[in-house]
Amino acid sequence: MGGGAGNTVATIAGALGGAIVGNEIEKTQVEGSRYRITVRLDSGSTLVVEDTREVNLRVGDRVRVENDGVYRI
């Protein structure tokens, strides 16, 4: 975009635009983190629950499902 002041203005505008776009992308990534947990019920059937919390479960942990969340017991 030319030289001098015009070039400086374009550089600043590009940096601000990039910062705003990057911030919006990061928000969607953080807000979009979901965990899909498959639970085998005592009856033998399975239930899939999606949760936004990191619950730190391992295969074989006994859990309870309440209000669309999985909790270790």
Side-chain angles (χ1 to χ4, degrees), residues 2 4-5 12 15 19-23 27 29-30 32 35-36 51-53 58-60 66:
I12 292 171
I20 291 169
V21 170
N23 190 30
K27 275 190 207 175
Q29 301 251 335
V30 171
Y35 299 92
R36 181 171 290 144
D51 203 331
T52 55
R53 301 173 299 119
R58 298 174 134 193
V59 174
E66 185 176 292

Side-chain angles (χ1 to χ4, degrees), residues 1-13:
M1 300 220 21
N7 192 18
T8 303
V9 170
T11 301
I12 292 171

Side-chain angles (χ1 to χ4, degrees), residues 10-48:
T11 301
I12 292 171
L16 286 175
I20 291 169
V21 170
N23 190 30
E24 290 302 314
I25 290 172
E26 183 180 355
K27 275 190 207 175
T28 347
Q29 301 251 335
V30 171
E31 292 173 2
S33 296
R34 297 189 65 79
Y35 299 92
R36 181 171 290 144
I37 304 160
T38 303
V39 179
R40 184 169 24 124
L41 305 175
D42 290 335
S43 66
S45 60
T46 58
L47 174 67
V48 176

